[in-house]
Amino acid sequence: AQYRRLLLTGAGGGLGKVLRPRLAAFAATVRVSDLAAVLAQDAAPHEEVQPCNLADRAAVDALVTGCDAIVHLGGVSVERPFEEILEANIKGVFHIYEAARRHGVKRVVFASSNHVTGFYRQDQVIDSHDLRRPDGYYGLSKSYGEDMAQLYFDRYGIETVSIRIGNSFPTAKDRRALACWLSYDDLTELLRCSLFTPQVGHTVVYGMSDNNGVWWNNRHAAHLGFAPRDSSEQFRAAVEAQPLPAADDPVRMYQGGMFTATGPFEPQ
Ligand code: 15L
């Protein structure tokens, strides 16, 4: 199965760049979007390039026109002052869902984040039904995005898989990443499951590879059939050669790591 035209927001970001070529397998046409300043304009044959500021409601409406599914990675991806998060993430996700409703889009994959539950401790194992404990404005905006997804499913039947992405980089670089690393191949497979599994309603899934010592249980997302194939174990020796952080260091205490102690950026 394939979509006719899939929209990828955040196409100029770390994961967007990785996913651009990989999404060719999932749709005849991929419309790629980001702020003009970060969007590489060279389009592959299967791509349409359309710069857009997610804070601009009319521009997002035009962006979504003609698409039959959306992979929404766009927005601020780290902790930042509230006003920046408000524009790109909070208004942005509203604009995406409102445009999806207006244009009859039936499936969204929302790049949520582990920072929705970042204040759980690293000795706890949680699942997607546990209370959210966002670790900053960024995590809060992802929590809001998940609520938006639920609202638009309950009211309008637009289905979403919210992927609480762990740590998706070429390698697992520290102890925390050993638990939450998500390889690019496993991310791609999770996207495939999220785009093509029928009847997902609003499903929340943690995006992690088949790592040892994980903090997240995906029991409520079993219907996605996601079976990760990679593991952070290959990086363990190099990571464990690093000095052990102090027991009260946020990077060792909390699942959200440093995000639990970054900002606020407002003057004291
Ligand atoms: C995120 O949500 C960030 O977008 C990413 O850059 C990483 O910092 C990741 O979380 C993480 O928790 O490691």
Side-chain angles (χ1 to χ4, degrees):
Q2 267 210 336
Y3 286 99
R4 252 179 327 104
R5 185 183 282 103
L6 178 66
L7 170 63
L8 173 67
T9 69
L15 296 182
K17 284 186 202 150
V18 169
L19 289 171
R20 265 178 79 160
R22 293 165 177 244
L23 292 182
F26 302 154
T29 302
V30 181
R31 182 173 291 170
V32 295
S33 183
D34 209 313
L35 293 172
V38 295
L39 186 60
Q41 299 281 337
D42 49 318
H46 68 282
E47 288 180 335
E48 297 171 351
V49 177
Q50 191 164 331
C52 178
N53 183 340
L54 292 167
D56 180 338
R57 184 171 179 169
V60 173
D61 190 82
L63 182 67
V64 168
T65 305
C67 295
D68 49 356
I70 300 173
V71 175
H72 182 43
L73 307 187
V76 173
S77 68
V78 290
E79 184 62 347
R80 295 292 299 160
F82 180 74
E83 284 71 18
E84 286 179 42
I85 303 274
L86 175 65
E87 294 299 316
N89 294 25
I90 295 183
K91 292 185 187 172
V93 78
F94 166 62
H95 295 158
I96 286 286
Y97 276 92
E98 200 35 30
R101 180 188 68 78
R102 284 167 46 85
H103 296 287
V105 175
K106 289 283 169 240
R107 180 66 57 99
V108 179
V109 179
F110 172 54
S112 185
S113 170
N114 73 89
H115 296 289
V116 166
T117 49
F119 262 117
Y120 283 95
R121 298 175 64 106
Q122 294 184 7
D123 58 11
Q124 293 178 286
V125 176
I126 58 172
D127 66 40
S128 64
H129 289 189
D130 281 299
L131 281 184
R132 287 173 274 182
R133 300 180 72 177
D135 58 23
Y137 303 134
Y138 166 69
L140 191 58
S141 76
K142 293 299 185 182
S143 181
Y144 179 82
E146 292 184 7
D147 284 338
M148 185 70 72
Q150 187 68 47
L151 172 65
Y152 274 71
F153 173 65
D154 289 335
R155 274 208 181 188
Y156 308 116
I158 299 172
E159 296 194 300
T160 296
V161 176
S162 291
I163 305 178
R164 291 182 182 166
I165 301 174
N167 178 267
S168 196
F169 291 94
T171 64
K173 288 205 175 54
D174 53 29
R175 284 180 170 77
R176 177 177 166 274
L178 290 178
C180 35
W181 186 65
L182 173 66
S183 74
Y184 292 153
D185 285 350
D186 285 339
L187 169 63
T188 306
E189 171 60 9
L190 182 50
L191 273 181
R192 191 188 65 75
C193 297
S194 302
L195 284 167
F196 297 110
T197 301
Q199 296 189 321
V200 294
H202 176 220
T203 297
V204 176
V205 61
Y206 282 93
M208 59 183 163
S209 284
D210 185 20
N211 307 325
N212 290 352
V214 298
W215 308 321
W216 308 319
N217 183 317
N218 272 332
R219 71 183 109 207
H220 303 298
H223 53 281
L224 294 179
F226 171 53
R229 302 174 67 147
D230 293 318
S231 164
S232 64
E233 230 21 51
Q234 55 187 310
F235 309 113
R236 181 172 298 278
V239 164
E240 289 187 344
Q242 300 167 8
L244 183 66
D248 63 348
D249 189 322
V251 301
R252 197 169 144 199
M253 257 197 337
Y254 295 114
Q255 297 187 4
M258 263 320 290
F259 278 63
T260 63
T262 304
F265 300 90
E266 286 68 24
Q268 296 302 305

